[in-house]
Amino acid sequence: MSASPQFDQVSVVKAANVYFDGKCVSHTVILADGTRKSVGVILPSSLTFNTGVPEIMECVAGSARVRIAGEREWKTYAAGESFTAPGNSSFDIACDEPYHYVCHFG
Amino acid sequence: MSASPQFDQVSVVKAANVYFDGKCVSHTVILADGTRKSVGVILPSSLTFNTGVPEIMECVAGSARVRIAGEREWKTYAAGESFTAPGNSSFDIACDEPYHYVCHFG
């Protein structure tokens, strides 16, 4: 969750992860200690993501409105801001501009 | 241009590169020697890319039809196949499924 604009000394999987017909595209990054994260972007859309493990979504550019399952309010997250989605749950996310993120799992 | 499914010991820029309203999304990868490449995906579409430096486009999953500027024929490139686009030129690319690629510059 550093403010560095890049990950260093990592592995990156060449093939992308494509969700929602490409409204969300990510690449998997593997840190030296084996931790997996993903770097991705959500294009202008309104989507619902299901979570398996908990996820921390760190915005690195752009912004999005987010509503965690069970919450009433939408909150806006911009560059440098993060939200946590619980495991085995879901969250709604909507953006009018590309929302660039790092997803931290577990 | 190895057949490895991932790059190791690299840096990856967290923010994505978004082209053509998201029809093409890539992330920049920086090798230990400073060489920059990108890992990306082109979603089903028909696009024209302009090149600055020459580019070798290596398909890692999916397939696409490609026509280099000045050529008459379209050729199909699937996983493991590459094409070279000259610098200061352009190429047309069309795909019906996500075309996952590594772009090697220079």
Side-chain angles (χ1 to χ4, degrees):
Chain A
M1 300 257 279
S2 100
S4 170
Q6 65 186 48
F7 284 112
D8 294 316
Q9 294 183 296
V10 296
S11 294
V12 57
V13 176
K14 293 175 179 176
N17 312 302
V18 177
Y19 306 101
F20 300 106
D21 289 329
K23 288 299 181 189
C24 177
V25 170
S26 74
H27 278 82
T28 300
V29 171
I30 306 159
L31 306 195
D33 68 1
T35 304
R36 280 174 180 260
K37 297 180 186 289
S38 65
V39 290
V41 63
I42 297 175
L43 300 165
S45 57
S46 184
L47 303 171
T48 299
F49 283 86
N50 296 307
T51 61
V53 296
E55 296 180 7
I56 296 171
M57 290 285 283
E58 175 192 359
C59 181
V60 296
S63 68
R65 300 178 300 287
V66 175
R67 185 176 58 182
I68 307 293
E71 295 190 2
R72 190 173 300 181
E73 261 185 78
W74 290 77
K75 292 181 189 166
T76 297
Y77 297 92
E81 299 177 334
S82 297
F83 66 90
T84 300
N88 299 311
S89 182
S90 67
F91 61 90
D92 300 318
I93 186 163
C95 56
D96 303 318
E97 60 177 333
Y99 164 84
H100 298 254
Y101 68 87
V102 173
C103 181
H104 309 262
F105 299 101
Chain B
M1 300 257 278
S2 102
S4 170
Q6 66 187 48
F7 284 112
D8 294 316
Q9 294 183 294
V10 296
S11 294
V12 58
V13 176
K14 293 175 180 176
N17 312 302
V18 177
Y19 307 101
F20 299 106
D21 290 329
K23 288 299 182 191
C24 177
V25 170
S26 74
H27 277 83
T28 300
V29 171
I30 307 158
L31 306 195
D33 68 1
T35 304
R36 280 173 180 261
K37 298 180 185 290
S38 65
V39 291
V41 62
I42 297 176
L43 301 165
S45 57
S46 184
L47 304 171
T48 300
F49 283 86
N50 295 308
T51 61
V53 296
E55 296 180 7
I56 296 171
M57 290 285 282
E58 175 192 359
C59 180
V60 296
S63 68
R65 300 178 301 287
V66 175
R67 186 177 58 183
I68 308 292
E71 296 190 2
R72 190 172 299 181
E73 261 184 77
W74 290 77
K75 292 181 189 165
T76 297
Y77 297 92
E81 299 178 334
S82 298
F83 66 91
T84 301
N88 299 312
S89 183
S90 67
F91 61 90
D92 300 318
I93 185 163
C95 56
D96 303 317
E97 59 178 332
Y99 164 85
H100 298 253
Y101 68 87
V102 173
C103 181
H104 309 261
F105 299 102

